[in-house]
Amino acid sequence: MNALLHPLLDAPAVVVYVVCALVITAETALLPGIVLPTLSTLLLMGFLVQRGTLSWWMALVVCVCAAVLGDQVAYWEGRMLGPRLRSSRLGRRVGAARWDRAESVIVRFGVPAVVLGRCLAGVRTLVPRVAGSAGLPYRRFVVGSVCAAVMWAGVELLAGQLAGWVAP
């Protein structure tokens, strides 16, 4: 993963913003995105903020917008393809019992479940699809998605910035 992100250390700010936005969006928008290094991406952006390459506010806006965009794609995929997702290879791997449990948690807890899901690697890719499949109202999902993205991106960018202060 370091080899993937290392070239961004000396790239122009615009390139860093675009590449990082694509990685963050793809993590939730695409099922294979589950393996993308989004934590490393946000930490790198925070490090580059500390270094003066990126603006903190612009990095936050890019990360939040990318995360919310990926969530929206995944939510609508779950909404439109819910039953097919359950019978897909991934759905069979998750298992009917776990899928039912995930849907019931999303229905029961709504926005807090979406917020917590954003903070858990691996789960972050699946929660929007489960929310769509479970029929969580779109307005509630969007509120959870935006709140979660702001919190997640802000904390990770600050952690990267702190790492930049500590690193030589």
Side-chain angles (χ1 to χ4, degrees):
M1 298 301 169
N2 288 339
L4 177 72
L5 296 174
H6 195 277
L8 294 177
L9 284 172
D10 297 316
V14 172
V15 171
V16 175
Y17 289 130
V18 169
V19 169
C20 291
L22 290 172
V23 169
I24 293 166
T25 300
E27 183 200 26
T28 50
L30 308 171
L31 277 173
I34 201 166
V35 298
L36 290 173
T38 53
L39 175 59
S40 300
T41 301
L42 267 76
L43 293 174
L44 172 73
M45 288 181 82
F47 176 78
L48 291 174
V49 165
Q50 167 56 29
R51 196 171 170 195
T53 306
L54 303 179
S55 154
W56 194 87
W57 288 107
M58 184 61 151
L60 181 66
V61 167
V62 166
C63 292
V64 168
C65 289
V68 170
L69 175 62
D71 281 355
Q72 303 318 296
V73 171
Y75 174 87
W76 287 108
E77 180 185 10
R79 190 67 163 228
M80 293 177 192
L81 304 175
R84 281 191 264 173
L85 283 174
R86 292 182 86 146
S87 62
S88 71
R89 186 176 4 169
L90 173 70
R92 288 189 306 271
R93 192 168 185 186
V94 169
R98 283 193 211 122
W99 194 275
D100 289 339
R101 203 168 350 152
E103 281 188 347
S104 68
V105 166
I106 293 288
V107 168
R108 181 172 180 206
F109 295 105
V111 172
V114 172
V115 172
L116 181 60
R118 164 61 56 192
C119 300
L120 301 172
V123 175
R124 176 171 37 248
T125 303
L126 300 175
V127 165
R129 286 172 179 80
V130 173
S133 176
L136 182 68
Y138 183 68
R139 287 183 187 191
R140 291 182 62 206
F141 175 76
V142 169
V143 167
S145 175
V146 171
C147 291
V150 169
M151 181 183 71
W152 175 73
V155 167
E156 300 303 339
L157 286 170
L158 285 173
Q161 199 171 3
L162 289 172
W165 284 323
V166 174

